[in-house]
Amino acid sequence: MRAPYVPDGEGVEIALVGLPYDFQSGRGSARMGPAQIREMSGLIRQLSYDLVAPFELCRVADVGNAVLNPMDPRKSIDLATDFVADLAGKGAAVVSAGGDHGVTYSAIKGLVGDRGPIGLVHFDAHPDTYDDPFGGYIHHGNTIRASIEAGLVDPARTISVGIHGTRFIATDRDWHRDHGLSLLTVDDVAALGVDGTVAEIRRVVGDGPTYISFDIDAMDTAYAVGTGAPEPGGLTMREALGILRGMHGLDIIGGDVMEVAPPFDPSGHTALCAANIMFEILCGTALAYARKRDER
Ligand code: MN
Ligand code: MN
């Protein structure tokens, strides 16, 4: 987004960062996402469609990418957590580009520390509450469940939006129901419309601190085929951007966009959509950050 590069994060109010990590499964390669999202984000202008000016509201900087360990998933989760926690300790809100969805656990843990649990708005084709089939790892398929089980996220203030696509098992949404999370499928979003979807999100997360995690595969493959688990029949960009804009005014403490896989995105189209989603998350975060700062 042509923000200044401030690698030590000093004096930064909102840090834009890359978390370049993916677990070795599926089509993978989301570790290359931050580079292509950063490249395409250069096309974004200074003001949003609805005239939010995040770079005027807050000191926004590109803090670069976390240095992770591609050979060790557990170490990478810890390194990404420490990277975000360091920035949070300096007073910054953090908006990150993944990376696969497992890194959301790190981004939330680094931001929240022991000050949780927070609310969560989770855009995804998939519920990401699967059992761990790999043996004790936090990864892209269980990141939401792991964040709740760690006490970082309040299930009663969590809503997943845009769920669609084929499933591994018929019961893949039961964990949401059994643990008090809310869930809107793409059909629910279509029936409610953007305004109704926003109203339901606001009802669930309320006034408390809230994080936005956006798995790009929530989008229809027309917008996001460059991802590890593409799912036709998803959200449109107008729905996604409208819903994100409708969340302005909530206490958004940061967010992420994950799962852009550049080898399957040769035109940069998926990364362009991700960069615009990241910008909308930045706008919501900047409005909340500036409001709290100016009240102090
Ligand atoms: Mn997904
Ligand atoms: Mn996901």
Side-chain angles (χ1 to χ4, degrees):
M1 299 177 201
R2 293 173 283 168
Y5 178 47
V6 182
D8 64 8
E10 291 295 341
V12 173
E13 293 181 314
I14 302 183
L16 305 176
V17 308
L19 301 175
Y21 166 76
D22 59 78
F23 195 80
Q24 305 296 312
S25 70
R27 302 209 292 181
S29 71
R31 65 188 176 279
M32 303 172 202
Q36 195 159 1
I37 293 170
R38 185 176 276 111
E39 172 72 17
M40 298 312 289
S41 78
L43 293 167
I44 292 173
R45 302 178 186 86
Q46 300 295 296
L47 296 174
S48 73
Y49 173 80
D50 53 348
L51 301 180
V52 180
F55 306 104
E56 287 179 22
L57 284 167
C58 294
R59 289 192 300 276
V60 179
D62 184 344
V63 180
N65 292 353
V67 177
L68 307 178
N69 183 337
M71 302 302 287
D72 189 329
R74 291 190 183 91
K75 232 172 230 163
S76 288
I77 292 292
D78 289 344
L79 287 166
T81 302
D82 293 346
F83 179 83
V84 174
D86 176 64
L87 293 168
K90 291 170 177 167
V94 179
V95 178
S96 54
D100 82 15
H101 215 168
V103 185
T104 289
Y105 174 88
S106 301
I108 293 174
K109 187 175 180 186
L111 263 185
V112 173
D114 55 8
R115 288 169 291 122
I118 59 166
L120 174 65
V121 184
H122 164 226
F123 294 85
D124 208 317
H126 314 104
D128 288 0
T129 52
Y130 296 117
D131 275 327
D132 170 24
F134 303 113
Y137 290 102
I138 292 162
H139 60 85
H140 53 84
N142 69 7
T143 191
I144 302 305
R145 179 170 170 167
S147 300
I148 289 169
E149 289 178 342
L152 302 168
V153 168
D154 179 357
R157 294 186 56 236
T158 295
I159 182 166
S160 295
V161 181
I163 304 293
H164 69 283
T166 54
R167 315 186 194 188
F168 287 114
I169 49 173
T171 56
D172 76 342
R173 297 168 195 176
D174 289 0
W175 202 90
H176 269 66
R177 186 197 61 207
D178 295 345
H179 294 80
L181 289 72
S182 298
L183 186 152
L184 296 176
T185 66
V186 280
D187 290 340
D188 294 330
V189 172
L192 290 167
V194 168
D195 291 348
T197 300
V198 167
E200 177 63 5
I201 290 171
R202 287 177 168 273
R203 183 189 70 77
V204 171
V205 302
D207 297 330
T210 298
Y211 186 88
I212 301 172
S213 182
F214 205 116
D215 184 329
I216 199 70
D217 68 30
M219 305 306 302
D220 190 83
T221 44
Y223 308 93
V225 79
T227 187
E231 303 286 1
L235 298 173
T236 69
M237 275 302 284
R238 283 174 68 180
E239 285 173 330
L241 297 177
I243 294 166
L244 290 168
R245 287 176 195 133
M247 292 166 58
H248 289 170
L250 294 176
D251 183 13
I252 298 166
I253 62 167
D256 61 56
V257 59
M258 298 281 174
E259 297 283 5
V260 173
F264 308 106
D265 183 31
S267 70
H269 179 195
T270 304
L272 176 66
C273 291
N276 277 272
I277 287 166
M278 190 174 181
F279 180 75
E280 294 298 338
I281 295 172
L282 168 65
C283 288
T285 305
L287 286 166
Y289 192 105
R291 185 178 67 243
K292 286 183 284 188
R293 178 196 63 211
D294 296 345
E295 280 170 7
R296 280 200 299 269

